[in-house]
Amino acid sequence: MRRHLDPAVLGVAAITLVVWGVLLVVVAQVKFAGDPRGFLVLGERLYHPESFDGIPRCGRFGYDGQFYAALAADPFLRSPDTLKALDAPAYRASRILLPLLAWCAVLGNARAAIVAYQVLCWTLSVLAVVVVSLWLREEGRSPWWGLVLGVNAGLVTAIFRSTQDGAAAFLIVATLYLAQRKSHCRALGAGVAANLCRETGYLAPLAVSVHEFVAKRYRRALLYVLVPLVPQLAWHAYLQATWHPNFRFPASVSAPFVALTGKLVAVLASRPLLLSQEFWGTLAACLTVLAGLVVALRRDRLEPVRLVFVAFGVLALFLAPRAYADVYGFSRHLIAAPFLAVVLAAREDSRSVRVLLASVVAAFSLAGLLMIAGELRPLIGSF
């Protein structure tokens, strides 16, 4: 029997899509003379391939989305111009999923691939919200709670800066959701995609593998460990054979506690606190660490969703000062945390733990609303 989506889930999808569609149109008009390609945030001092001609520049060094858009124009790195456009070619090229999909979708047209890359970033970001709402419905909860995720800080960054992080959140949640529904072939496919999108995407199939191993389903556990690695290793083999990149340890990770503690001290010294996106974002990161610890001590700690949430709580401790420079940075590193927190809060028996998990979501979303207000400030100030 064919299943139909719940009207509430469709409502969440429609509202999220319309809100973000309006925001993108308005902000593009205010900041980029109506050109949505401006959301790639191209740096004025950086080299860009010829396919970027005509795209508005924004700031001296721009933002990360510009590098993946360059890969979308040439995912197999056949042109020297592509390597010149990347700040860390080996690191950027390892996250090949969206650039490659964008390039394939437009049959290799470089200029069109840049736009296709953005559309994929935005669409999959919205789908991350939809999957959580669908999950809530299937667990007997109101799908409308998913709406609050539509403005969380990580998603705001992913959309306004055209980064792959919203897509990564979607693929992580989709992997866990499909595995719970015992749709393991699809879950493995989503896990493969998650790992090719962002390295933290591998946490989802790895967590499912732990769950399967504990249940003594060893063959399936091994599949969840190995299958997502095969395409990634094959891609790295191609990169090595093509241009011999040098490995670079991610600069976003460092000694635990140091950066988060420093960020918290700096934020608490600033004023006004309640109108600061940095305050709410930093509070959300601290709450993620605390909630991760609490979840790790719960009875069902080896459930895949719990394991991945705990992993992001640990990541919040290890992020480097560079990542904690502003909320745009660390919120996208931790983007999956509020999505998983909504799912966990919905199934939590303890009221105090449920409130803690909900506070993670609320703090990230308050930071996101302030970030949106910041993007709209030129328009607001004109009235």
Side-chain angles (χ1 to χ4, degrees), residues 193-207:
N195 195 30
L196 285 170
C197 186
R198 209 178 196 284
E199 53 277 6
T200 49
Y202 186 54
L203 291 171
L206 196 60

Side-chain angles (χ1 to χ4, degrees), residues 62-327:
Y63 211 75
D64 290 8
Q66 64 187 321
F67 305 122
Y68 301 110
L71 279 170
D74 178 27
F76 295 103
L77 298 107
R78 292 172 295 186
S79 170
D81 287 350
T82 305
L83 293 176
K84 288 171 63 178
L86 303 179
D87 61 338
Y91 176 64
R92 301 298 181 187
S94 67
R95 301 173 173 180
I96 195 59
L97 180 73
L98 261 61
L100 184 58
L101 288 178
W103 184 84
C104 291
V106 297
L107 304 178
N109 184 304
R111 291 185 181 275
I114 293 169
V115 177
Y117 164 75
Q118 289 184 282
V119 173
L120 279 172
C121 288
W122 298 335
T123 302
L124 294 179
S125 293
V126 172
L127 284 178
V129 176
V130 176
V131 171
V132 171
S133 295
L134 185 62
W135 200 339
L136 290 174
R137 187 209 66 174
E138 293 199 358
E139 297 203 348
R141 303 295 181 180
S142 172
W144 294 106
W145 287 109
L147 274 179
V148 73
L149 293 169
V151 292
N152 86 81
L155 203 73
V156 171
T157 302
I159 294 178
F160 278 148
R161 299 292 186 268
S162 298
T163 69
Q164 304 190 76
D165 305 285
F170 162 68
L171 292 167
I172 288 172
V173 174
T175 301
L176 298 171
Y177 168 69
L178 291 168
Q180 178 173 291
R181 297 185 70 222
K182 303 192 183 306
S183 183
H184 293 292
C185 288
R186 293 180 181 180
L188 277 170
V192 167
N195 195 30
L196 285 170
C197 186
R198 209 178 196 284
E199 53 277 6
T200 49
Y202 186 54
L203 291 171
L206 196 60
V208 177
S209 175
V210 171
H211 179 75
E212 295 297 319
F213 183 84
V214 171
K216 298 183 179 180
R217 293 185 284 265
Y218 302 120
R219 179 178 175 274
R220 189 178 294 160
L222 191 62
L223 286 174
Y224 273 104
V225 172
L226 297 181
V227 170
L229 291 178
V230 173
Q232 184 67 266
L233 292 175
W235 176 246
H236 278 282
Y238 168 80
L239 294 178
Q240 286 292 336
T242 305
W243 52 277
H244 311 293
N246 294 320
F247 175 79
R248 192 186 78 171
F249 190 78
S252 56
V253 177
S254 69
F257 294 100
V258 177
L260 179 56
T261 302
K263 178 70 175 181
L264 182 60
V265 171
V267 165
L268 291 177
S270 64
R271 294 290 184 274
L273 281 181
L274 296 183
L275 295 178
S276 168
Q277 63 193 37
E278 297 298 327
F279 166 72
W280 289 109
T282 305
L283 177 62
C286 293
L287 290 170
T288 299
V289 173
L290 178 59
L293 175 62
V294 171
V295 170
L297 297 175
R298 301 291 286 169
R299 181 181 54 193
D300 298 326
R301 67 181 69 89
L302 294 182
E303 284 183 354
V305 182
R306 295 179 185 273
L307 284 173
V308 179
F309 181 79
V310 170
F312 276 95
V314 173
L315 177 61
L317 287 177
F318 280 85
L319 287 178
R322 177 178 177 178
Y324 276 115
D326 60 35
V327 68

